[in-house]
Amino acid sequence: MLKQIALLLLVVALVTGKKRVKDKAAAAERVREKAESVDREKVRDRAENVDREAVKEKARGKGGRFKDSFKKGKNLSKKKLLTMTTDNLPEGIHLPTGQKGVPKVCVDAPFGESPGMSRIRRNAKDKFYVCAFVNFQYGVGEDKGSAPYSAENVDMRFGLFKKCVDKINKHNRRYKAGLETSTAGVNFFCDMTEDERNPTRTDLSWMACLVKWIINLKMTDNLID
């Protein structure tokens, strides 16, 4: 009888022990899974934070760095710019269509050294060229070779100026790469048409036509005779 009771107690102890072992194992597994879940969440949060920072850095890289070129200060409205008349600016400073104003530093900067101009990439949006365009109008002075600006011609002049800036920046990037021996900069040619840059070209073309017409006329007279 005692042997049977002892055997029964032994069986119960074994079963209980195995259950405790299973419970401990299950508890340990739950703790491990919870820890892994917490770790995964931390990793995910860290990754999301990194992604957000990367997006911010990318945004700053595209626009922020250019904006950082402009110190905080007073802005000049389109109306205010038109009132900034001088002997060389009888109608003030004109802005191209769609532009409302520029920072005052665009006017204060030395001629051809407007903030951020060297960072403008080819065919960028108009807003990136406007500061340099205002700086050009204000600083070109007596050297200006094109006609006075007006609401009718400012967009055309702005288009010519943008192409000039693109060429200057391309040349200077080549200089930094050791492909050019000198740098380039803004000058009074930047808003001029090809004919305005080379006035003698038009005169010579007319002269060539006149000479050709005289020669043809003489040849015709000879044939008639």
Side-chain angles (χ1 to χ4, degrees):
M1 183 67 179
L2 292 173
K3 290 182 179 180
Q4 292 176 346
I5 293 173
L7 182 60
L8 180 61
L9 291 174
L10 180 60
V11 171
V12 171
L14 290 173
V15 172
T16 304
K18 287 183 179 180
K19 186 177 180 182
R20 286 177 181 174
V21 170
K22 288 182 179 179
D23 290 343
K24 287 182 180 180
E29 183 66 21
R30 287 195 295 272
V31 171
R32 185 176 64 80
E33 289 179 353
K34 187 175 181 180
E36 289 180 352
S37 176
V38 171
D39 289 341
R40 283 195 295 269
E41 289 179 1
K42 287 182 178 179
V43 171
R44 190 182 305 112
D45 291 341
R46 194 179 301 116
E48 289 177 355
N49 289 334
V50 170
D51 289 343
R52 282 193 288 268
E53 288 302 317
V55 170
K56 290 179 181 179
E57 286 297 325
K58 189 174 182 181
R60 281 195 288 267
K62 285 185 175 180
R65 285 183 297 181
F66 186 88
K67 292 179 181 178
D68 290 342
S69 302
F70 301 92
K71 298 178 181 178
K72 292 183 179 180
K74 185 178 180 181
N75 284 340
L76 301 174
S77 66
K78 189 171 186 177
K79 185 177 180 180
K80 177 65 177 179
L81 289 168
L82 288 173
T83 65
M84 299 176 66
T85 58
T86 66
D87 292 341
N88 300 308
L89 289 170
E91 297 186 17
I93 298 174
H94 287 260
L95 290 180
T97 303
Q99 304 303 316
K100 298 180 180 179
V102 295
K104 188 175 182 295
V105 67
C106 300
V107 171
D108 294 338
F111 178 65
E113 298 180 16
S114 60
M117 194 192 86
S118 62
R119 295 177 178 175
I120 301 173
R121 295 299 175 184
R122 184 172 178 270
N123 295 329
K125 294 181 179 179
D126 287 353
K127 64 181 181 180
F128 295 109
Y129 294 91
V130 173
C131 182
F133 187 53
V134 168
N135 176 270
F136 170 81
Q137 291 183 63
Y138 188 76
V140 67
E142 296 178 353
D143 292 331
K144 181 172 170 59
S146 59
Y149 285 7
S150 66
E152 289 72 28
N153 67 19
V154 64
D155 287 340
M156 182 271 288
R157 296 297 178 184
F158 183 52
L160 295 170
F161 181 80
K162 289 192 297 181
K163 291 180 180 179
C164 180
V165 170
D166 287 343
K167 289 180 180 178
I168 290 169
N169 286 341
K170 180 180 179 180
H171 179 94
N172 289 340
R173 285 194 292 271
R174 286 175 56 83
Y175 172 78
K176 289 181 179 180
L179 301 175
E180 300 289 349
T181 58
S182 61
T183 58
V186 171
N187 57 37
F188 63 91
F189 286 116
C190 276
D191 69 338
M192 298 171 69
T193 64
E194 198 63 35
D195 289 340
E196 288 172 334
R197 292 182 186 182
N198 302 285
T200 56
R201 179 180 297 181
T202 303
D203 296 339
L204 290 174
S205 63
W206 277 103
M207 189 178 295
C209 289
L210 180 59
V211 170
K212 187 176 180 180
W213 179 76
I214 292 173
I215 293 173
N216 289 335
L217 183 61
K218 287 184 175 180
M219 290 177 65
T220 302
D221 290 342
N222 292 333
L223 288 174
I224 293 175
D225 293 341

